[in-house]
Amino acid sequence: MQRATRRQLFGAALFGGVVLAGALLTSPDAAITRLHALAARPALFAPALLAGYLLRPLVAWPISVLSVLLGFLYGPVAVPVALAGAVLTCTPAYLLARRTGEAGLFGRAGDAGRGFFAATGDVRGLTGLRLMPLPPDPVSYGAGLSGLSPGRFVLGTALGECPWVVTGVLLGASLETLTVDGVGAGLPLVVALAALAVLVLGGPLYRRWRERRGESTGY
């Protein structure tokens, strides 16, 4: 096994352990309750909310937890803030991946990702992945390994996360009592957005498959 691969696997295992420990030792409901208590003090709430978005990847919470909070506090007008937060909270994993390097196991993963985005286009491919009911941070990490530019990363993330964020904010606005227990997108929305992702990605991937099949058969 290459030295770079061993180092990358060790780093991934260590990071995964930190995330797992954070997820087990912290409660979304408790954190949201503390943030809610600060809502009447904007000078404290704004930095606390920013910290929540930046630290969310370390505890593996869904982005919808913070979207629901903003919807509960401010209603539908919070959508732009929640969307900006969704882009922000996806950025640490992306930046970390861009510093990982192109050697070893992650280098091969980056090659696979570059092939995917070459077929779909950077913004279209990332938008489609974000529309799928996938954990946001592995998608961000894959985008970083694939070498997506920051501008295309931000645009693709914003477009793909928008339906999820709007749903979370509207759900929060409809709650009478703030809670994130059991909060999540309903099955119809998940199916609808997954189908939309297939429509976004299906054509380019099918064309790429046909091209590669033609190359392999000589036709």
Side-chain angles (χ1 to χ4, degrees):
M1 185 183 293
Q2 295 180 358
R3 182 178 178 182
T5 299
R6 289 197 299 269
R7 186 171 64 249
Q8 290 166 358
L9 289 175
F10 174 77
L14 180 62
F15 181 74
V18 170
V19 172
L20 179 61
L24 293 175
L25 295 175
T26 58
S27 161
D29 251 331
I32 292 303
T33 299
R34 294 190 188 100
L35 281 172
H36 182 216
L38 293 174
R41 306 170 69 183
L44 294 178
F45 178 72
L49 180 66
L50 177 63
Y53 274 115
L54 290 174
L55 296 177
R56 182 210 56 81
L58 294 179
V59 289
W61 295 342
I63 298 172
S64 60
V65 167
L66 294 166
S67 299
V68 167
L69 169 66
L70 287 172
F72 181 80
L73 290 173
Y74 304 113
V77 297
V79 166
V81 175
L83 185 57
V87 173
L88 177 67
T89 198
C90 290
T91 302
Y94 164 76
L95 295 177
L96 177 63
R98 283 177 64 90
R99 297 179 59 88
T100 298
E102 299 182 356
L105 181 65
F106 290 173
R108 292 193 289 274
D111 290 339
R114 280 186 285 274
F116 170 82
F117 288 114
T120 63
D122 293 348
V123 173
R124 182 173 184 168
L126 185 56
T127 298
L129 291 175
R130 295 290 188 198
L131 288 171
M132 292 182 179
L134 300 172
D137 301 308
V139 174
S140 300
Y141 204 87
L145 290 176
S146 303
L148 261 66
S149 70
R152 293 178 180 180
F153 173 80
V154 167
L155 180 57
T157 297
L159 291 173
E161 289 292 339
C162 187
W164 301 106
V165 167
V166 169
T167 300
V169 170
L170 294 180
L171 178 60
S174 70
L175 295 177
E176 295 184 3
T177 303
L178 179 61
T179 178
V180 294
D181 252 358
V183 166
L187 182 59
L189 178 67
V190 170
V191 171
L193 292 182
L196 180 58
V198 171
L199 290 176
V200 169
L201 299 176
L205 291 178
Y206 177 70
R207 286 193 295 272
R208 178 63 176 265
W209 175 79
R210 288 290 300 269
E211 290 170 1
R212 298 188 67 172
R213 184 168 178 269
E215 291 171 0
S216 65
T217 58
Y219 292 103

